[in-house]
Amino acid sequence: PTPPAPPSDASSPQDNAWCHLMSLETQVQLTQDFLTSHMAELTGLHQTTEAVSLPLQALLERLLFAPTTSSMPPADAEQFVSAPGLGPSAPHSKLPHPALPDVYDGDCKAGEHFLQSCITYIQLSGEAFILDAFKTAWVLSYKKAGQASTYALHIF
């Protein structure tokens, strides 16, 4: 149904109401256009975030399981952890506590050391890291300064 034509007398109360109604309809339309535009923008940002997060997660997982450069290769470390008295059934109070990694600030020179510290800790604390998401969250929790902090904030 088409709205009724505005009254011919411009100074009547009906004319004022008509003008107010038209103004409100215009504002509603502008608001809807604004929301539609921003929803499209948010959808695009969400898709971009998803597209970036998945490869980063895969890269982090690959880095966590990459061969180490320590004097004891991961296979030997696994034998050490599964040796009698040191396996998962051993009492936790008798297990040595691995050192926690230092806070990482994004410095490239410290990156390899940070990664090695994380890998060592995760390998020696395997029971605590049954899900990859736990590993990722734990590693990101040590990125508390500099560019690394900015990156971690975007992931969380």
Side-chain angles (χ1 to χ4, degrees):
T2 54
S8 59
D9 182 9
S11 62
S12 73
Q14 289 93 2
D15 188 41
N16 288 339
W18 177 260
C19 288
H20 186 66
L21 176 64
M22 293 304 291
S23 174
L24 288 174
E25 286 180 354
T26 301
Q27 288 177 0
V28 166
Q29 184 61 46
L30 289 173
T31 302
Q32 287 176 334
D33 293 346
F34 175 82
L35 290 174
T36 301
S37 169
H38 280 80
M39 280 301 293
E41 190 175 330
L42 286 173
T43 300
L45 288 172
H46 177 72
Q47 290 171 345
T48 301
T49 300
E50 288 293 316
V52 169
S53 294
L54 294 175
L56 284 175
Q57 172 72 25
L59 178 61
L60 185 56
E61 288 174 12
R62 273 192 288 158
L63 289 174
L64 288 175
F65 295 110
T68 60
T69 58
S70 69
S71 60
M72 182 167 48
D76 291 343
E78 194 171 300
Q79 291 172 356
F80 173 78
V81 172
S82 63
L86 293 176
S89 61
H92 290 289
S93 60
K94 293 184 180 182
L95 291 176
H97 295 286
L100 293 170
D102 294 330
V103 170
Y104 182 61
D105 64 0
D107 178 20
C108 292
K109 293 178 184 175
E112 189 172 332
H113 175 73
F114 173 74
L115 180 61
Q116 184 60 45
S117 295
C118 291
I119 290 169
T120 301
Y121 189 91
I122 289 170
Q123 285 178 342
L124 292 176
S125 306
E127 291 176 9
F129 297 99
I130 56 174
L131 298 176
D132 289 341
F134 292 167
K135 295 172 190 172
T136 302
W138 183 81
V139 169
L140 290 174
S141 75
Y142 281 89
K143 295 184 175 196
K144 299 178 183 178
Q147 292 176 334
S149 172
T150 304
Y151 170 77
L153 288 173
H154 285 295
I155 298 300
F156 280 121

